[in-house]
């Protein structure tokens, strides 16, 4: 079993749709969770981060963490063509500030105008 | 603020040849990372430096890959000899000492390697 799993897609939605992206993980030591967005031929950029369980909202984006189920989600409301990218979940244990960040394989999203 | 700079952006070589990638992190960032991203996969950490010391190189194939960070600033990743399975994007990232409050890694645009 891989440490972090993510549906690779591709996911194609119409503009304005609500998008749900998900990751599961196996390491119960993970407690710091991030979502990165990667445009084609670019490096990943941090979108949101959350610590432990709960929700966090930032504009059209909401991140959820359920540590009991080892499941994290990113919701995008009112999706826009500019949201078309690959979304990578990432996580780390934070036992030390140098702990390895583990990335999921990414979900490719296309928002059709 | 200038971002993470990487070069070359693209490189095509034949198997068994050698290649080197260069990275200049964000000014003042003590931690530098090299990731390998194979098509359709997430980035995989190859090596992590804190200043000019290695923090983690457990997934670096040391028989063919080497990396250095002289003077705690720029870094070079070398592959010699290259194999077909080394075809990937090599991403350099940097962060303040540790990863700061947000845990953010700042990535460059990557160096895309094709091995024929």
């Amino acid at each position: 079993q891989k440490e972090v799993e993510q549906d690779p897609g591709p996911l194609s939605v119409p503009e304005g749709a609500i998008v749900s992206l998900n990751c599961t993980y196996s390491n119960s030591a993970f407690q710091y969770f991030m979502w990165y967005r990667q445009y084609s031929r670019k490096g990943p950029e941090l979108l949101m981060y959350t610590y432990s369980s709960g929700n966090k909202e930032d504009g059209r984006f909401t991140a959820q963490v359920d540590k009991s189920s080892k499941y994290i989600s990113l919701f995008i409301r009112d999706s826009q063509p500019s949201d078309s990218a690959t979304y990578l979940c990432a996580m780390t244990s934070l036992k030390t500030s140098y702990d390895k960040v583990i990335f999921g394989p990414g979900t490719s999203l296309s928002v059709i105008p | 603020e200038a971002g993470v700079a990487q070069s070359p952006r693209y490189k095509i070589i034949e198997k068994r040849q050698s290649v080197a990638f260069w990275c200049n992190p964000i000014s003042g960032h003590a931690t530098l990372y090299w990731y390998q991203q194979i098509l359709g996969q997430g980035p995989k950490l190859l090596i992590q430096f804190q200043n000019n010391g290695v923090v983690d190189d457990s997934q670096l194939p040391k028989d063919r890959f080497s990396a250095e960070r002289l003077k705690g600033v720029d870094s070079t990743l070398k592959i010699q000899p290259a194999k077909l399975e080394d075809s990937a994007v090599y991403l350099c990232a940097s962060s303040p000492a540790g990863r700061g409050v947000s845990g953010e890694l700042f990535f460059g645009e990557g160096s895309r390697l094709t091995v024929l």
Side-chain angles (χ1 to χ4, degrees), chain B residues 37-112:
Chain B
Q37 187 175 24
I38 293 172
L39 186 65
Q41 299 182 19
K44 182 184 83 171
L45 180 68
L46 293 176
I47 189 166
Q48 178 178 338
F49 293 95
Q50 172 68 16
N51 295 310
N52 59 352
V54 175
V55 173
D56 187 334
D57 65 356
S58 57
Q59 297 192 89
L60 186 74
K62 297 181 186 63
D63 57 335
R64 298 183 300 106
F65 286 65
S66 64
E68 60 182 8
R69 190 184 185 196
L70 300 175
K71 301 181 182 178
V73 182
D74 292 7
S75 178
T76 302
L77 176 71
K78 296 180 181 178
I79 308 174
Q80 181 179 16
K83 292 185 174 182
L84 296 177
E85 59 261 36
D86 299 332
S87 294
V89 176
Y90 291 87
L91 293 163
C92 179
S94 69
S95 69
R99 282 190 294 278
V101 174
S102 70
E104 182 171 7
L105 305 180
F106 296 82
F107 284 89
E109 294 196 324
S111 294
R112 184 177 297 270

